[in-house]
Amino acid sequence: MKILITGRPGSGKTTVIRELQKRGFTAYNTDDYDDVTKLQDQKSGVQVPWPDGPVDWKRYTWNWQAGGIEKLLNSSETVFLGGIVGNQKEFYPKFDKIFALTLSTETLAKRLDSHAHKRTQEEKDKALAVHEMKQHRFKEDGLIELACEDSVETVVNNLLKQLRLL
């Protein structure tokens, strides 16, 4: 079984993937692999180095690379991938189930303040302003919503129960 865990930045994807790894599952945060996820120019598709300051998301996109995704999914066991990228819809057919971590705007605001990927106040404000609309798109795309307001242990238990792995 191939499972995608996606969600807005700060929703807990990395934390869920780490908890799955801790429990012995094959689970990957796709941001951690240079051959899987790359910053690319939106027009040309050419890989670009990460800028020193904030990323201009109107000019660049964070995309999965087909070969890298294939390597991670190439297993006969259950594999969990965690991430959110510009071209992820292209890869949806490769997954048996796709879960979107969902959370309130208030919880997201708290998490962004302590998030590993530091953001400027302007970036945080923008993320919060579009949060509900972008989160609703997951539902429109038919993804399985997984509330992530609780502890990571509870969130992962709920995930594994839905997959009949617990």
Side-chain angles (χ1 to χ4, degrees), residues 7-51:
R8 301 276 298 131
S11 62
K13 299 175 297 295
T14 299
T15 304
V16 166
I17 291 297
R18 286 184 185 140
E19 179 66 17
L20 287 163
Q21 290 168 338
K22 208 165 81 175
R23 294 184 188 200
F25 289 95
T26 300
Y28 304 100
N29 176 357
T30 60
D31 289 353
D32 292 342
Y33 299 89
D34 292 337
D35 62 333
V36 175
T37 315
K38 297 179 188 250
L39 186 65
Q40 296 175 300
D41 182 272
Q42 282 201 29
K43 291 181 183 173
S44 69
V46 172
Q47 182 181 354
V48 296
W50 199 267

Side-chain angles (χ1 to χ4, degrees), residues 16 19 23 34 47 51 57-58 69 78-79 91 99 110 113-114 120 122 134 140 144-147 150 152 158-159 165:
V16 166
E19 179 66 17
R23 294 184 188 200
D34 292 337
Q47 182 181 354
W57 292 112
K58 292 178 182 167
I69 292 293
T78 296
V79 176
F91 294 88
F99 290 87
K110 291 175 192 169
D113 285 337
S114 62
T120 65
E122 182 181 339
K134 289 205 172 200
E140 290 173 345
I144 304 164
E145 293 183 62
L146 183 64
D150 293 324
V152 67
N158 290 339
L159 169 68
L165 295 173

Side-chain angles (χ1 to χ4, degrees), residues 11 13 29 51 65 76 82 86 93 108 114 121 123 134 148 159 166:
S11 62
K13 299 175 297 295
N29 176 357
Q65 309 304 303
S76 59
L108 178 62
S114 62
Q121 189 60 48
E123 290 173 313
K134 289 205 172 200
C148 61
L159 169 68
L166 182 70

